[in-house]
């Protein structure tokens, strides 16, 4: 004897299966086409770090970036307990603008060898690999890191002080507990993107809440200022490597990855401080469609 409910469930299950068979590849294809828009190639790369440890990254290569016509490069590094894919919003937009982007798995994250926190979080090794690529203009490289990824790119900057032109610290900081102290000269041409509702203001900048960052002695040391830094105002000189700016999008720490404002500030800063590429307005962004496609799939 057949249960009527089970018979009725079969057509519903078939419909759900049919819908799934359409949505999964459709979402995946949408994500793929967004990541590769304009002829960008995305490659899974593996390399060996300076201590012999295996390292992993995604390499975004824009069309026209070759050994004969090298392009600007950007090292992009995620934060703690994340992986290289977390930087996809930034990487997609940087690559669309003609930058070769290496989205690194930190040590002990993703496919990079343990332990976490080792070898400058993997930042120096990632930077060395990016600089080794013939398609990258070695005199025209930027560094971008979110949270602990900011400490990774600061470690890279400390090892290669003359090997980069500018930096973006997203939800991150110079100084203790895990980075070199910031000064008016180190790092070169830095934009601090510290969101208004960031939960880690005490860890990063030693202040009780994110809006109080403008009163942080660490930030003052970085800016070389004897006045409260004004959000959005550029201090110092790009030509001399002393440019500094603070941005404060209205999101939380984790939402820096999904904020058009946070990503837009990074785009604008690199277009101001790096040469070459194919500049586009900072608000011309398509990365969100990759996230939508992944969600649908």
């Amino acid at each position: 004897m057949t249960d009527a409910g089970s018979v009725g469930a079969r057509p519903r299950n078939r419909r759900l299966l049919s819908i799934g068979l359409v949505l999964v590849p459709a979402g995946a294809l949408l994500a793929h086409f967004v990541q590769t828009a304009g002829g960008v190639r995305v490659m899974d790369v593996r390399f060996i770090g300076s201590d012999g440890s295996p390292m992993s990254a995604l390499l975004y290569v824009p069309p026209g970036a070759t050994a004969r016509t090298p392009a600007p490069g950007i090292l992009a590094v995620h934060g703690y307990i994340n992986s290289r894919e977390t930087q996809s919003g930034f990487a997609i937009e940087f690559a669309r603008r003609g930058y070769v982007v290496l989205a690194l798995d930190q040590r002990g994250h993703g496919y990079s060898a343990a332990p976490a926190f080792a070898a400058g979080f993997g930042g120096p090794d990632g930077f060395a690999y990016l600089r080794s690529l013939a398609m990258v203009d070695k005199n025209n490289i930027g560094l971008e890191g979110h949270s602990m990824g900011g400490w990774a790119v600061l470690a890279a900057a400390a090892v290669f002080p003359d090997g980069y032109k500018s930096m973006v610290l997203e939800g991150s900081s110079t100084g203790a507990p895990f980075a070199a102290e910031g000064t008016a000269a180190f790092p070169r041409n830095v934009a601090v993107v510290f969101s208004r509702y960031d939960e880690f203001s005490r860890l990063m900048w030693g202040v009780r809440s994110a809006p109080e960052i403008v009163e942080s002695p660490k930030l003052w040391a970085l800016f070389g200022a004897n006045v409260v830094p004004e959000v959005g105002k550029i201090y110092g000189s790009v030509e001399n490597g002393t440019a500094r700016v603070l941005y404060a999008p209205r999101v939380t720490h984790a939402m820096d990855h999904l904020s058009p404002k946070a990503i837009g500030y990074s785009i604008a800063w690199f277009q101001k401080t790096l040469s070459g590429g194919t500049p586009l307005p900072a608000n011309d962004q398509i990365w969100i469609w990759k996230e939508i496609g992944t969600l649908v799939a």
Side-chain angles (χ1 to χ4, degrees):
M1 197 170 189
T2 305
D3 181 81
S6 64
V7 173
R10 289 172 187 167
R12 288 196 300 272
N13 290 341
R14 293 193 192 99
R15 285 196 297 272
L16 288 173
L17 177 60
S18 299
I19 292 170
L21 290 174
V22 172
L23 290 182
V24 171
L29 283 171
L30 174 60
H32 168 74
F33 288 132
V34 172
Q35 283 200 125
T36 57
V40 172
R41 290 179 293 137
V42 184
M43 295 177 283
D44 179 353
V45 297
R46 308 296 168 96
F47 57 96
I48 300 300
S50 57
D51 65 355
S53 298
M55 298 291 295
S56 161
L58 290 175
L59 183 66
Y60 295 69
V61 182
T66 68
R68 297 186 65 181
T69 56
I74 295 177
L75 174 66
V77 189
H78 63 83
Y80 186 48
I81 65 172
N82 289 315
S83 63
R84 59 192 189 176
E85 288 84 1
T86 314
Q87 284 288 299
S88 64
F90 295 92
I92 288 167
E93 297 304 332
F94 296 156
R96 288 182 67 218
R97 289 160 174 83
Y99 305 131
V100 176
V101 185
L102 188 73
L104 183 71
D105 271 335
Q106 284 193 44
R107 285 291 299 269
H109 293 69
Y111 297 106
S112 289
F117 294 77
F121 311 92
D125 286 334
F127 188 47
Y129 178 78
L130 180 64
R131 285 180 57 82
S132 75
L133 300 175
M135 70 183 74
V136 173
D137 179 354
K138 296 171 181 56
N139 298 313
N140 205 21
I141 294 178
L143 305 172
E144 182 269 329
H146 177 261
S147 194
M148 198 165 86
W151 301 336
V153 298
L154 283 164
V159 174
F160 301 95
D162 299 318
Y164 70 102
K165 290 183 69 174
S166 63
M167 176 183 297
V168 175
L169 295 176
E170 294 268 355
S172 191
S173 68
T174 53
F178 294 112
E181 294 295 332
T183 70
F186 176 85
R188 297 175 56 83
N189 294 332
V190 60
V192 176
V193 182
F194 203 76
S195 300
R196 188 170 180 82
Y197 307 115
D198 196 296
E199 304 91 332
F200 297 98
S201 57
R202 190 177 295 277
L203 172 66
M204 296 297 179
W205 295 103
V207 293
R208 292 175 300 175
S209 65
E212 295 177 13
I213 185 177
V214 294
E215 301 171 8
S216 167
K218 291 172 67 177
L219 189 75
W220 281 40
L222 175 64
F223 276 57
N226 55 9
V227 296
V228 175
E230 182 180 334
V231 175
K233 180 178 179 180
I234 296 176
Y235 297 82
S237 163
V238 172
E239 290 72 22
N240 295 335
T242 59
R244 273 96 177 88
V245 67
L246 170 66
Y247 296 115
R250 293 179 176 271
V251 292
T252 61
H253 185 77
M255 287 299 291
D256 287 340
H257 302 105
L258 300 173
S259 166
K261 284 287 188 182
I263 293 174
Y265 290 139
S266 296
I267 292 168
W269 189 245
F270 285 131
Q271 290 187 163
K272 184 176 184 63
T273 56
L274 298 180
S275 304
T278 52
L280 295 170
N283 62 359
D284 180 351
Q285 301 178 27
I286 64 171
W287 59 269
I288 188 63
W289 290 103
K290 181 260 183 184
E291 302 299 331
I292 292 171
T294 302
L295 176 64
V296 168

